[in-house]
Each structure stands twice: as C-alpha cells, then as structure tokens.
Amino acid sequence: MLINIDKRISPQLLFILAQMGHGDEIAVVDANFPAVSTAAHCITKEPIDMMGVDAPKCIELITKLMPLDTFTEFGILRMEIDGAPNELGDVHKDVVTVLDHVSGDAGQGSIERQIFYKRSKAAFAVVQVSEIRPFGCFLLRKGVIF
C-alpha cells in the first residue's frame, strides 16, 4: 500500500506518470474524444479511464505528482474552441484556476482542434475523463524536478 496518493489515481496512471520523461506529453481528453483510436498510436496503446472525474480535477491530480515543463513555451495546451481560438470555455477557465495553484511557471497555450487530434497521437498516453463540456481536452508536457 502507498499513502498520500489520491485513490482516483489508478496504479496504471501512476505507473505511466513514473515512466514518462522530460518532454513527454499526456493527453487529458473529454468524454467525446476518440480516445481508443488515438491511444492506439501512443506509447500506451489503450486509454486510461478516469470516468467520474472531470478535466480540471484530473489535471489537478496529475500535476500534484508530475511537474509541467517550464523549458518550453507551453507546459500545457488546451484544445481551441472552433472559430473562437482566443475564447476560453468554462472548462478552460476552471483548468486555468487549477494551474494557477499548481503549475509554477509553466506556460499555457492553445492549439486548433484538428492539430490537437494529430498531436495527441504522439502523446505518451491518453487519459479519458467524464468531462462533457465542449473542447475539454488538454495536453500536459512533463517537466523536471529540481
């Protein structure tokens, strides 16, 4: 048994986070995202299921264990809203609030939806949450521990 690990972090997710190295990315995706077909292209070939957890809570849980990259322009990228790339949806705002408390100096950015789909295929793993708010998908880039 381990202590101080949130019970919503599965052993599989804990192992994946430990395996990832600096610069590896993990996709946290909403309930509508094609997680199975995307994960088939990743290092981890099946999505990690975190149903019952929304995107902000999942990102909070992950970033308590995994530092975000501060050596690149963006340690986290959000999926842009179609036709409104500078607009933040409620899910994006909630994630910004989480990151303000845990991410340190990691930059936050956005990418267009179709580019997000392609980039997610190169991720280390895909974590699917029960987020149903539109465009609730994020890429987290692992940083280093000082």
Side-chain angles (χ1 to χ4, degrees):
M1 295 294 297
L2 298 173
I3 60 173
N4 300 323
I5 303 285
D6 191 289
K7 65 183 177 186
R8 293 168 288 190
I9 300 284
S10 68
Q12 179 190 22
L13 180 55
L14 191 59
F15 184 62
I16 286 165
L17 293 175
Q19 285 183 308
M20 292 172 63
H22 177 233
D24 283 337
E25 293 182 342
I26 190 166
V28 175
V29 300
D30 63 26
N32 292 304
F33 190 86
V36 172
S37 60
T38 300
H41 298 274
C42 298
I43 301 295
T44 304
K45 301 296 182 193
E46 293 184 17
I48 297 121
D49 180 353
M50 285 191 71
M51 291 296 144
V53 177
D54 65 10
K57 179 50 75 176
C58 178
I59 291 169
E60 178 184 356
L61 293 168
I62 289 172
T63 55
K64 284 183 177 180
L65 300 171
M66 182 189 87
L68 294 177
D69 196 351
T70 58
F71 290 110
T72 58
E73 188 175 3
F74 303 114
I76 184 168
L77 293 167
R78 66 174 168 79
M79 179 187 282
E80 293 176 354
I81 296 172
D82 288 341
N86 297 319
E87 183 179 328
L88 294 179
D90 289 339
V91 66
H92 302 135
K93 292 174 188 174
D94 288 350
V95 168
V96 167
T97 300
V98 166
L99 293 174
D100 286 344
H101 299 303
V102 296
S103 69
D105 295 330
Q108 301 172 33
S110 66
I111 55 176
E112 190 273 331
R113 183 168 57 94
Q114 294 303 321
I115 296 170
F116 186 97
Y117 288 143
K118 290 176 186 170
R119 187 160 173 174
S120 295
K121 289 180 178 180
F124 197 92
V126 175
V127 178
Q128 188 162 41
V129 298
S130 11
E131 184 63 62
I132 58 171
R133 293 177 286 182
F135 305 98
C137 300
F138 302 84
L139 284 166
L140 286 69
R141 186 177 184 90
K142 189 172 185 179
V144 296
I145 299 171
F146 292 103

